[in-house]
Amino acid sequence: MTWLKKPQLGLTMTAKFPINRPLLTLRSPAFRSLILTFSVLFLLITVAHQGKFSVPRQFRKYSAFRPPTATVHQQRPLQEHPQTSITLDPDSNDTLHFNMNCGASIDHLFELKYRYSLDDRFQYMKRYVRFTRTEGLERKSMTKLGQNLLPYEFQFKAVDVRQNKAIEDECMAPLEVAVPKSGLPRTVNASDFIFGVSTTYNRFIAAETSPINEWTFWLTNGNGRSNGGKLVLMLLDATDEQLQEVANTLGDVNIDADVYHSDSRLEMAVRYLTLVPTLYTHPDARHKKWLVTCDDDTFFPSMHGLIAKMNSMDYTREMYVGTLSEDVGAIERHGSQAFGGGGVFLSLPLARRITELYGSCTTSQKIQEADSGWGAQGDIILRKCIYEHTETRLTTVWDLWQLDILGHPSGFYESGVKPLSLHHYRGGGWHRADPAQMARVAHTCGEDCTMLRFQTPDDFILSGYSIAHYPHGVTFDVHQVEATLHAAQDNKGWNFDYKLGAQRPSLLGTGRKIAWDLQEAHVDPDGSIRQTYTRKHNDERWTESDGRPMSNIDGVIELVWIPS
């Protein structure tokens, strides 16, 4: 783990290095040249022994970019947390036994009340889901089950914490589900990737915007070890002490990261483009196949799937890989290019070209040309740098998602899609979701279980994002996205159709749908995954068409996932 100092950008096309030249009075040019050569060699050897690195040879002539120097610090030992230690092996030949307990102590009920701001009185149910990882089974958008989620003889329990009374209840037979035998996070090898992210110290440490939980999922194996992926983090206007704090925080969860200063004097678009040469000149880059730029709210829920997709491409060529916005209006405003929140994947040969071109791609004229009316855009300046100087064009991966959407995101997250990336899920003008909680089930069930949908005969649909009940029946096309979302600007009603397809009408506020939303997922001591879903009685989404609430009491459902 290292933390790195501020990259300095030269004003000329030549990267300059300070050289200590001896004072020579000898007149022989050949002798002076020989002495100078030995001096330079001595300086380079000294720098190498100090653990610093220089610009690769090919950039010394062309590039205005000067890489940062590195200072090594001692990483604090990892302190394993039960939430991140996954010890259950679902593919073990050993017989697994689980003591199913569908009761709830009064302490647990009080915890639910205060943690999720529930009324004193609420409905509670716990249901076990037993999954069988099945070799060769295809992941489907929807799987129909033969069991009810809520059999007639087992109904919700109404509890009142003021009565200080625990729930003692027998368990129903588990829901039996067959799932594809997909990759587990513990077996991910992401050593072909180096990721670059630019953010601020305040966003990193603030509870509502900190990316630690998400990064721990896709940059570690869930058991306190790096999965081989490298993170280069650039922090804007941070002190040396703050960089050290962030580096230690990342090291404590075993995210292999280097932390740099980012220069606030530069245009945002230029800071974004600076990620590319910063990644390319990093000492680890020579061992990587793909350099990836993304945002601090980019999440990769299926690293096995992402690796398989990128392995299908030729990393020895100049490759520019990403996705368009889902919103045709955003493409019209900003252009057809990789939208960075979904992740931009650059092969080393292309990253080399961009690094060589860095100076000519970041002139004041190029910055002005990258202004689409919303200020200079990093995505645009990167695309122009590539398109104006090379024959490389975007290779689109539609399973990467920019998610330029407003409204309620349930239509997307309940659609059964298997995304390779997610973005814009922290609110702040966009939607709010918690993909790290949705993806936790992957630790035992496999990555294909994330956002996998199941429909029961009693008209419930489980999606990993929510548990939705349709009291008038599932009478719609479940393979069409529910139109709960809309474009950020110039909403035409069909902005998303090219990516999502035509959407079916929203059921919010119609009395035809009521849902419990996923709040958290926990790894319990026996290795099972416990998901907590809640519903508030005054949620304006769950009303009849005349505005009357569909329920007068809050609700909690806990699903516990166990292997067969």
Side-chain angles (χ1 to χ4, degrees):
M1 170 70 63
T2 60
W3 64 271
L4 304 177
K5 295 183 179 179
K6 184 187 305 181
Q8 300 174 7
L9 302 179
L11 298 178
T12 69
M13 290 298 290
T14 304
K16 300 180 180 179
F17 294 86
I19 300 176
N20 295 327
R21 302 181 183 275
L23 180 62
L24 298 177
T25 58
L26 298 177
R27 294 184 178 182
S28 169
F31 190 73
R32 291 201 303 269
S33 177
L34 181 63
I35 293 297
L36 180 59
T37 298
F38 278 110
S39 299
V40 172
L41 286 173
F42 176 77
L43 177 62
L44 291 176
I45 292 171
T46 302
V47 169
H49 280 288
Q50 290 175 345
K52 298 181 179 180
F53 57 91
S54 61
V55 179
R57 186 187 317 163
Q58 60 265 34
F59 306 130
R60 296 175 190 168
K61 182 177 179 181
Y62 303 106
S63 176
F65 175 78
R66 175 178 288 181
T69 56
T71 303
V72 179
H73 77 277
Q74 187 63 41
Q75 180 182 7
R76 291 199 299 255
L78 174 69
Q79 300 294 323
E80 287 198 5
H81 188 285
Q83 186 76 345
T84 61
S85 181
I86 316 296
T87 58
L88 177 66
D89 181 2
D91 300 322
S92 172
N93 292 326
D94 297 335
T95 302
L96 300 174
H97 297 283
F98 294 90
N99 180 26
M100 294 195 301
N101 177 10
C102 292
S105 69
I106 187 61
D107 289 340
H108 183 58
L109 295 174
F110 265 109
E111 180 185 9
L112 293 173
K113 166 189 161 52
Y114 288 113
R115 194 172 187 85
Y116 307 119
S117 302
L118 304 175
D119 289 343
D120 291 330
R121 184 173 176 270
F122 58 89
Q123 292 178 330
Y124 175 85
M125 182 185 73
K126 181 187 286 187
R127 192 78 157 92
Y128 280 78
V129 180
R130 185 158 55 199
F131 60 87
T132 301
R133 287 165 51 83
T134 307
E135 193 77 53
L137 183 65
E138 180 185 0
R139 186 190 192 274
K140 297 179 180 179
S141 170
M142 176 72 79
T143 299
K144 291 188 176 182
L145 304 179
Q147 298 168 271
N148 287 339
L149 177 70
L150 192 60
Y152 178 78
E153 63 273 22
F154 292 95
Q155 298 297 313
F156 283 98
K157 300 293 182 182
V159 300
D160 191 329
V161 295
R162 294 169 297 187
Q163 295 179 359
N164 207 34
K165 185 178 180 180
I167 294 177
E168 297 179 1
D169 205 0
E170 294 182 3
C171 288
M172 299 171 260
L175 279 177
E176 301 286 351
V177 300
V179 300
K181 190 175 182 179
S182 56
L184 301 166
R186 76 184 68 179
T187 62
V188 167
N189 180 0
S191 57
D192 288 341
F193 300 88
I194 180 170
F195 298 88
V197 178
S198 178
T199 189
T200 67
Y201 171 78
N202 288 335
R203 276 183 63 86
F204 181 88
I205 63 169
E208 63 273 14
T209 56
S210 176
I212 283 291
N213 286 337
E214 290 91 345
W215 290 356
T216 301
F217 179 84
W218 55 267
L219 284 169
T220 78
N221 70 350
N223 282 319
R225 292 184 180 179
S226 168
N227 63 12
K230 180 77 176 185
L231 175 65
V232 170
L233 177 61
M234 300 187 72
L235 286 184
L236 188 64
D237 291 337
T239 65
D240 286 352
E241 292 76 15
Q242 289 170 337
L243 260 65
Q244 186 72 58
E245 176 191 349
V246 170
N248 282 333
T249 300
L250 293 168
D252 286 347
V253 293
N254 261 352
I255 292 175
D256 181 11
D258 292 343
V259 184
Y260 292 69
H261 282 289
S262 184
D263 192 347
S264 61
R265 295 170 297 179
L266 300 176
E267 286 271 358
M268 180 185 68
V270 176
R271 292 200 302 269
Y272 176 80
L273 189 66
T274 301
L275 282 170
V276 178
T278 302
L279 291 172
Y280 186 70
T281 57
H282 191 282
D284 289 358
R286 69 194 70 179
H287 306 298
K288 306 296 183 181
K289 295 179 180 178
W290 298 101
L291 312 184
V292 188
T293 64
C294 55
D295 291 348
D296 64 3
D297 61 345
T298 302
F299 183 75
F300 299 102
S302 179
M303 288 299 290
H304 281 286
L306 179 65
I307 291 167
K309 185 65 178 181
M310 299 310 298
N311 282 346
S312 70
M313 302 184 189
D314 186 358
Y315 67 91
T316 65
R317 296 176 51 241
E318 293 185 357
M319 294 290 292
Y320 169 46
V321 182
T323 192
L324 303 175
S325 172
E326 301 77 21
D327 181 2
V328 292
I331 299 172
E332 184 178 11
R333 287 188 295 274
H334 303 300
S336 179
Q337 69 230 345
F339 279 67
V344 181
F345 297 74
L346 305 172
S347 63
L348 264 67
L350 182 59
R352 170 184 174 176
R353 291 287 298 277
I354 295 169
T355 304
E356 292 172 348
L357 294 162
Y358 179 85
S360 59
C361 291
T362 55
T363 63
S364 58
Q365 178 181 345
K366 294 303 176 185
I367 295 171
Q368 184 177 0
E369 292 173 0
D371 188 345
S372 57
W374 297 63
Q377 300 293 307
D379 296 339
I380 297 177
I381 207 168
L382 175 61
R383 181 248 299 165
K384 288 177 65 65
C385 189
I386 296 170
Y387 283 19
E388 293 177 1
H389 299 281
T390 78
E391 295 183 354
T392 301
R393 294 298 181 265
L394 176 65
T395 297
T396 306
V397 175
W398 295 113
D399 292 325
L400 301 171
W401 292 88
Q402 169 74 7
L403 291 184
D404 287 336
I405 60 175
L406 293 182
H408 199 275
S410 56
F412 172 79
Y413 287 104
E414 294 175 346
S415 67
V417 66
K418 180 185 176 180
L420 295 183
S421 69
L422 298 165
H423 181 233
H424 278 161
Y425 51 81
R426 289 209 193 100
W430 298 104
H431 73 278
R432 185 169 292 279
D434 199 335
Q437 301 300 327
M438 287 185 268
R440 193 172 293 279
V441 70
H443 284 294
T444 58
C445 191
E447 290 180 351
D448 278 359
C449 295
T450 301
M451 296 170 62
L452 188 62
R453 293 192 300 175
F454 301 95
Q455 180 180 338
T456 63
D458 52 346
D459 297 314
F460 283 89
I461 293 179
L462 288 63
S463 64
Y465 172 83
S466 70
I467 299 173
H469 183 232
Y470 301 88
H472 300 286
V474 180
T475 58
F476 47 85
D477 186 347
V478 298
H479 300 294
Q480 290 183 326
V481 173
E482 184 182 358
T484 63
L485 31 96
H486 61 81
Q489 187 178 355
D490 300 327
N491 183 34
K492 301 175 176 65
W494 45 262
N495 295 56
F496 306 136
D497 286 14
Y498 92 96
K499 185 80 180 279
L500 298 178
Q503 295 105 70
R504 58 183 171 85
S506 171
L507 297 180
L508 306 185
T510 66
R512 296 173 58 192
K513 175 184 178 181
I514 187 169
W516 294 251
D517 296 326
L518 179 68
Q519 301 297 333
E520 287 186 277
H522 297 268
V523 181
D524 284 336
D526 61 1
S528 59
I529 305 292
R530 174 168 46 90
Q531 298 174 327
T532 304
Y533 298 81
T534 68
R535 174 188 53 75
K536 302 298 288 294
H537 74 277
N538 57 356
D539 191 320
E540 62 184 13
R541 294 174 295 164
W542 315 133
T543 63
E544 303 288 351
S545 56
D546 61 4
R548 291 179 295 111
M550 297 177 67
S551 174
N552 61 0
I553 186 172
D554 296 345
V556 176
I557 299 177
E558 292 188 312
L559 290 186
V560 183
W561 292 72
I562 58 176
S564 59

